[in-house]
Amino acid sequence: MSSLLHTSSEHATAASRPVPGRLRRLLRGRPAEPAWARPALLVLLAATAVLYLWDPAGRGWANSYYAGAVQSATRNGTAFFFGSVDAANFITVDKPPASLWLMALSGRIFGFSSWSMLLPQALAGVASVALLHAAVRRWHGPAAGLVAGAVLAVTPVAVLMFRYNNPDALLVLLLVLAAYATVRAVERGHVGWLLLAGTAIGAGFLTKMLQAFLVLPALAVAYLVAAPVPLRRRIGHLLAGGAAMLVAAGWWVAVVDLWPASHRPYVGGSEDNSVLGLTLGYNGFGRIFGGDGNTTAGTPGGGTGLPAGMQLPAGMDLPAGGMGGFGGATGIGRMFGDAVGGQVSWLLPAALITLVVGAWLTGRAPRTDRFRASLLLWGGWLLVTATVFSWMEGIFHEYYTVALAPAIGALVGIGGRELWVRREGIVARVGLAAAAAATGAWGYVLLDRTPDWHPELRVVLVAVTVVAVAGLLTPRRLALRLSVVGLVAALLTGLLGNAAYAVQTVSSVRTGPIPTAGPGGGPAGAAGGQAALAERLEQMFPGGRLPAGFPEPPGGAGGLPGAGGRVDPALASLLRGTTSTWAAAVVSTSEAAQLQLASGRPVMGLGGFTGSDPVPTLAAFQRRVADGDVRYLVAMGGPMSGMPGGGSVGGPMAASGPVAEITAWVSTHFPSSTVGGRTVYDLTKEKN
């Protein structure tokens, strides 16, 4: 009995003990911080998690091109390492596989599904918000960190991408990690943190190649200018960070390119079956200058924006803008244009204004001034990335701009806080008011682009903007409370349009290769990329129909991956019943991914991403058929399949190069039948 009483007494004592120190610090935060700071952060992160995780299964496979590669990676170790689209390892996706690795690991743990595939993307978003908050808070306080995190969390394109399976979610997380590590490195001139920053950028390269390097100038300049150590050490530290970056980025490239080509999948998107060729070509200079398989902002008589190897019929020119340019025409206005503006630019004017005003106020500050260091880091990130996006002539899609969201959030949070504490000065006070006014005016313009969608938001935005500007222009010594009201109204002005678009994005389904956020992204269930293509074709050709003689694009509608629509159950059943290495071959890996997701069987994607990769050759494909490795060839639908104006199912695609030779050979030598509305050639039976 005494032992029982003693045990009960111990339990009572343990229950009465205070919360352990670590948990208390997690919930309360640092002693020096305000009591509201840590609870507010936890609420922000919880709300972000709900926003990004809400109904993930309702999005289906999102981008089926990447979903097919994730499926393959969960089934085959070789496919996992190389990032193969198919589990039989014919060809890889046209990006390095880092983002696929995370989604595939989730699939192996929880079983492959839409939910398990999209879970790491959402968690990457929550982690990005937390890291951005931490990076901003260290130098500028919890309020600035919360604003920065909130702006990133509700930026429409961020909401879209952290709920999608494109590589951009992991890329943003790694870039924010690199920025956080740079902030820590600048504080004491610590090379260890620079090594972490370089490693994060290198991992970013393994996610989306050279785009990860766009933030390098900003990180390097911030450290070179502001680190509190001699110049010689700063340069040495940067070189060490660069070496860490090269190792983190280069190990996989070296392994793949040194691996015997006959014993690994073809590097999708490359012309020479090498990662280095892909890096410098299609995903490198081709993105900046066009060519190398990239579409361009073509003009009559100039570039057409068609995939490589395709030509217009004699005498035909496309209207200005060609088939490319879904992100709008190149130039300084691209980030504010109809295609991109609503995705990311709601607070871009405010970020630019605070950057300029902040630069003016810190013009004579000491070298190690942290406000100026922050402007160099986040402002450099924003300006370099936005400039490249604005003038790149190769493939550019609206969702790329998610890479701008952390910098915009940081500049708004940092600039707002620093100008607020300096508001007794006329420059800071006018700067704050100008930022609020510009945000309200630009938000009105963006909302007015969809005039039938909640028009009351424009009225509310105008009213809140007036209150914000009036309050912020009031000097603190006259009416502190009015100034605070103005500050709160300014925050509402900045977040109103963002949040409205974010909620609309979550409440409707986005699928397909080129998704867009907000009410302009198409109705629920519509693929954002298909809607964009349909709108472009409506502008170019009456009724959205391609004119007679126009070649059928190798990747389906407009050469877009994943634009083929759902796979008919009868066709999926036919492929599911095969036992060959590849159940079928089809032009483009995007179509192959859709077929294998529906059937669960590997499908060979002829010609890679757009059907224009020089693989396989006719002779190689003939050997595969002779050996019984490929059972069927499935012809793609018409160029407008799933688009306004319809489209019909035809024979093999009218493309050039090896793919054209293969499809011509198949249509000549093998019988066809129609299964599920698609033309299917049986490669085991030659025509009599």
Side-chain angles (χ1 to χ4, degrees), residues 211-564:
Q211 185 182 333
F213 293 170
L214 294 181
V215 303
L216 274 179
L219 305 188
V221 168
Y223 187 83
L224 189 63
V225 170
V229 292
L231 177 61
R232 186 174 180 179
R233 289 181 61 188
R234 279 176 269 155
I235 294 175
H237 291 174
L238 287 173
L239 292 175
M245 179 190 71
L246 291 177
V247 171
W251 71 268
W252 183 83
V253 176
V255 170
V256 174
D257 282 353
L258 292 175
W259 202 288
S262 59
H263 291 82
R264 62 164 172 78
Y266 185 91
V267 178
S270 69
E271 294 293 325
D272 59 358
N273 195 16
S274 75
V275 178
L276 186 60
L278 177 64
T279 301
L280 298 178
Y282 176 71
N283 282 336
F285 294 114
R287 297 282 174 147
I288 304 298
F289 304 111
D292 287 297
N294 282 259
T295 58
T296 64
T299 56
T304 64
L306 295 174
M310 294 191 64
Q311 296 180 351
L312 291 170
M316 179 184 293
D317 276 324
L318 291 180
M323 287 291 290
F326 291 113
T330 59
I332 195 171
R334 178 182 263 186
M335 296 299 101
F336 300 93
D338 291 344
V340 173
Q343 307 299 300
V344 75
S345 73
W346 298 86
L347 283 160
L348 184 53
L352 295 174
I353 289 173
T354 57
L355 177 60
V356 171
V357 175
W360 174 268
L361 294 175
T362 59
R364 296 184 178 180
R367 177 179 66 81
T368 57
D369 181 75
R370 290 184 173 178
F371 183 19
R372 183 169 59 194
S374 291
L375 296 178
L376 289 172
L377 194 160
W378 301 106
W381 175 333
L382 176 64
L383 293 177
V384 172
T385 305
T387 298
V388 173
F389 285 172
S390 295
W391 272 275
M392 60 189 289
E393 296 181 359
I395 292 174
F396 172 79
H397 298 310
E398 294 92 331
Y399 65 80
Y400 293 178
T401 58
V402 67
L404 300 175
I408 293 174
L411 286 172
V412 170
I414 293 168
R417 188 265 182 184
E418 296 299 332
L419 297 188
W420 173 257
V421 299
R422 294 168 169 81
R423 66 188 181 279
E424 286 303 312
I426 186 65
V427 173
R429 189 163 67 251
V430 172
L432 271 176
T439 299
W442 182 239
Y444 185 94
V445 171
L446 292 175
L447 290 171
D448 195 50
R449 290 177 177 174
T450 53
D452 297 329
W453 186 75
H454 293 290
E456 69 277 5
L457 289 175
R458 300 197 296 276
V459 178
V460 174
L461 184 61
V462 170
V464 174
T465 301
V466 170
V467 173
V469 173
L472 292 173
L473 285 175
T474 303
R476 182 174 57 177
R477 61 179 179 274
L478 297 181
L480 176 59
R481 290 184 179 180
L482 186 58
S483 297
V484 173
V485 170
L487 179 63
V488 173
L491 292 174
L492 293 176
T493 300
L495 296 177
L496 180 63
N498 267 326
Y501 265 47
V503 171
Q504 198 281 336
T505 300
V506 171
S507 63
S508 59
V509 177
R510 299 305 203 274
T511 60
I514 312 177
T516 54
Q530 292 182 355
L533 176 64
E535 181 179 356
R536 180 67 178 139
L537 290 172
E538 286 284 357
Q539 296 170 357
M540 292 163 54
F541 306 113
R545 295 178 181 271
L546 299 179
F550 192 89
E552 185 173 351
L560 301 175

Side-chain angles (χ1 to χ4, degrees), residues 36 133 136-137 140-149 409-410 412-415 417-418:
W36 53 264
H133 167 272
V136 171
R137 177 193 58 79
H140 305 282
L146 286 170
V147 171
V412 170
I414 293 168
R417 188 265 182 184
E418 296 299 332

